[in-house]
Amino acid sequence: QVSGRRPPHGRRANAPFPAAGRPPAPRARSPARGMGLAARGSLLTVVLAVLAALLSPDRIIRALSRFDEADSPHFSAADLAPSTEILELRNLDVAAELIAPFVVLVSPKDPAKPPSGEWLAKWITENNAAFRKAFFRHGAIIFRGFDVPTPVSFERVALAVNTDLATVYLGTSPRSSINGTTYVHTAADFQQHRTLPTHIEMSFRDTPPQLQIFYASKVDHIAGGETPLTDFQGVWDTIRSQEHLRRKFEGKHVTYLRNYDNTASPSKIDPMMQKCWQDMFKGDTPDTVLQKCSAESFNCSFDQDSRLAIRNTQPWVRIHPVSGAEVWFNHINVLVKDSMVYDYERTAALWGGLRGLWPLAIGLYYRALFAGLGLLWPESQFGSSSSFTAGRGPTN
């Protein structure tokens, strides 16, 4: 028996009275034997759990995550039927097709002879009207199969798309500039196991970027590394189709709170603390930072430990400046700690099988970490948090 007590000699387990005669003193149970049995029982439990995971990983993923395989997108042939804008692109020396209702894939007509980055930059410049029509009709355009081998050549293509590229970055992720370029930087300097939840770039600002351009020439990971693309107009359409959710968010605002440590004392255990205020504002003094905060309409303050708190309020929904459509336009996917866990769980469900157990395990780790930290700190002390605020409807 692993647990429970054996009856002493001379006494039957269920007897109401002792047996005749004086029973001998009970023998002490060996602690080592009890521990050995307990260890074997624990080992058996672990082995059974591993076998269950290996034999039915998808069942384990569905049981421990909050996502199901059915959550992955599926598009019908009608969803991917070419639009007028796609047909127009096909008449301009490129191949074009929809790979999602909001994603256009543009590739060379002859994949065996990929045009250079200089050719692509010239094509975008000369066919800018058709390019913009397809872009605003669908939402995202992928150029694949062209010979754009370096960040420098990518920058030339990016400048053909928009000559007014920005050099100031006030986002939450740590990034590094790429040598030899003016406008190109890494997407996020995180550890390889980290995910970055889908979001709209710097949507917490009054004037967020209107365009974002990504480049990838080499895959460094055995698995992962995908860049998620999301139709946030479709997200809002889905949310407001449910009356209780429409009432909850329509006309309301969200207040963001972002905390940034001093480089002299950065947090070692809060995953939401992603960089220090010196890296955020490229400033060495609190006075310089407060001036930049004022220019951004951020409410900023330093505490006695030189920790910066940034508060500002934005609508949940904004109106697209070109299409006039209402868009789910906020940073809630990044600035709430639970979003990191949800992102791992969703990745586990999308990957499925044995490889889906890896992001699931990371998600369970962060879920436990945040639960533990939540016992020590209020949510406002984490690297970032968000809260509801009353407001006046969507804005541009």
Side-chain angles (χ1 to χ4, degrees):
Q1 299 179 22
V2 177
S3 60
R5 300 173 58 190
R6 293 189 303 169
H9 287 285
R11 179 177 298 194
R12 289 165 40 200
N14 298 320
F17 301 103
R22 184 177 180 180
R27 291 186 300 175
R29 187 176 178 187
S30 168
R33 181 172 179 270
M35 290 173 62
L37 289 173
R40 284 197 291 271
S42 300
L43 179 61
L44 178 61
T45 302
V46 171
V47 170
L48 291 176
V50 171
L51 287 175
L54 294 177
L55 294 175
S56 184
D58 290 330
R59 183 174 298 177
I60 298 295
I61 291 171
R62 285 193 294 271
L64 296 180
S65 75
R66 287 158 285 193
F67 289 92
D68 189 89
E69 186 180 7
D71 184 65
S72 58
H74 299 284
F75 304 117
S76 66
D79 294 329
L80 303 180
S83 62
T84 303
E85 291 79 8
I86 298 293
L87 297 176
E88 185 175 352
L89 288 178
R90 289 177 179 176
N91 293 325
L92 300 174
D93 297 325
V94 294
E97 62 178 318
L98 283 178
I99 56 176
F102 56 95
V103 182
V104 180
L105 174 62
V106 176
S107 56
K109 278 195 171 181
D110 185 359
K113 299 178 180 179
S116 66
E118 288 75 12
W119 184 95
L120 180 58
K122 182 180 178 182
W123 181 92
I124 293 172
T125 301
E126 293 178 348
N127 300 288
N128 189 261
F131 170 80
R132 288 174 59 84
K133 279 190 208 175
F135 178 72
F136 288 117
R137 166 67 175 79
H138 294 285
I141 295 181
I142 297 176
F143 291 101
R144 181 175 294 158
F146 297 90
D147 185 16
V148 186
T150 67
V152 173
S153 57
F154 163 62
E155 187 172 60
R156 293 194 196 103
V157 174
L159 286 168
V161 175
N162 192 317
T163 58
D164 188 24
L165 298 181
T167 57
V168 176
Y169 171 65
L170 294 177
T172 57
S173 300
R175 289 178 174 174
S176 303
S177 298
I178 302 298
N179 289 337
T181 68
T182 302
Y183 304 103
V184 183
H185 48 74
T186 57
D189 296 335
F190 286 131
Q191 304 96 326
Q192 290 191 359
H193 74 273
R194 285 286 297 270
T195 69
L196 193 61
T198 181
H199 62 280
I200 296 177
E201 186 72 357
M202 290 185 271
S203 57
F204 47 78
R205 295 181 65 190
D206 288 343
T207 55
Q210 296 188 349
L211 178 70
Q212 196 169 14
I213 309 171
F214 289 94
Y215 167 74
S217 63
K218 183 178 68 173
V219 177
D220 293 325
H221 308 288
I222 297 174
E226 298 93 345
T227 298
L229 297 175
T230 301
D231 176 8
F232 281 98
Q233 178 184 331
V235 169
W236 175 235
D237 289 341
T238 301
I239 290 175
R240 66 178 174 182
S241 67
Q242 303 179 56
E243 182 63 21
H244 70 289
L245 291 178
R246 184 190 65 77
R247 290 198 306 268
K248 183 174 183 178
F249 294 105
E250 193 172 58
K252 305 297 192 303
H253 284 57
V254 54
T255 294
Y256 303 114
L257 170 60
R258 292 173 287 149
N259 295 309
Y260 293 91
D261 287 339
N262 191 321
T263 52
S265 56
S267 173
K268 301 294 185 182
I269 59 174
D270 180 7
M272 302 299 289
M273 187 65 64
Q274 298 171 352
K275 60 183 180 182
C276 299
W277 54 262
Q278 289 92 338
D279 298 324
M280 172 75 167
F281 289 99
K282 307 301 180 188
D284 295 329
T285 66
D287 288 341
T288 301
V289 170
L290 292 176
Q291 290 176 6
K292 293 182 178 180
C293 282
S294 178
E296 288 288 332
S297 300
F298 294 156
N299 181 6
C300 298
S301 60
F302 285 91
D303 65 11
Q304 66 274 13
D305 297 320
S306 192
R307 193 189 203 208
L308 173 67
I310 302 177
R311 292 176 175 83
N312 70 305
T313 299
Q314 296 291 351
W316 291 98
V317 176
R318 297 196 197 189
I319 297 174
H320 194 281
V322 176
S323 69
E326 292 187 358
V327 180
W328 179 253
F329 201 102
N330 55 73
H331 228 69
I332 193 72
N333 275 26
V334 174
L335 298 183
V336 172
K337 58 184 174 57
D338 292 333
S339 64
M340 182 185 296
V341 178
Y342 280 121
D343 209 42
Y344 281 114
E345 293 178 355
R346 175 169 165 76
T347 301
L350 289 174
W351 285 8
L354 291 176
R355 73 171 188 154
L357 295 176
W358 170 237
L360 176 66
I362 300 175
L364 293 175
Y365 162 76
Y366 280 116
R367 192 194 297 183
L369 176 63
F370 286 133
L373 294 177
L375 298 176
L376 305 175
W377 306 334
E379 189 165 352
S380 60
Q381 291 299 308
F382 282 87
S384 59
S385 60
S386 305
S387 59
F388 278 87
T389 305
R392 296 177 300 167
T395 61
N396 292 320

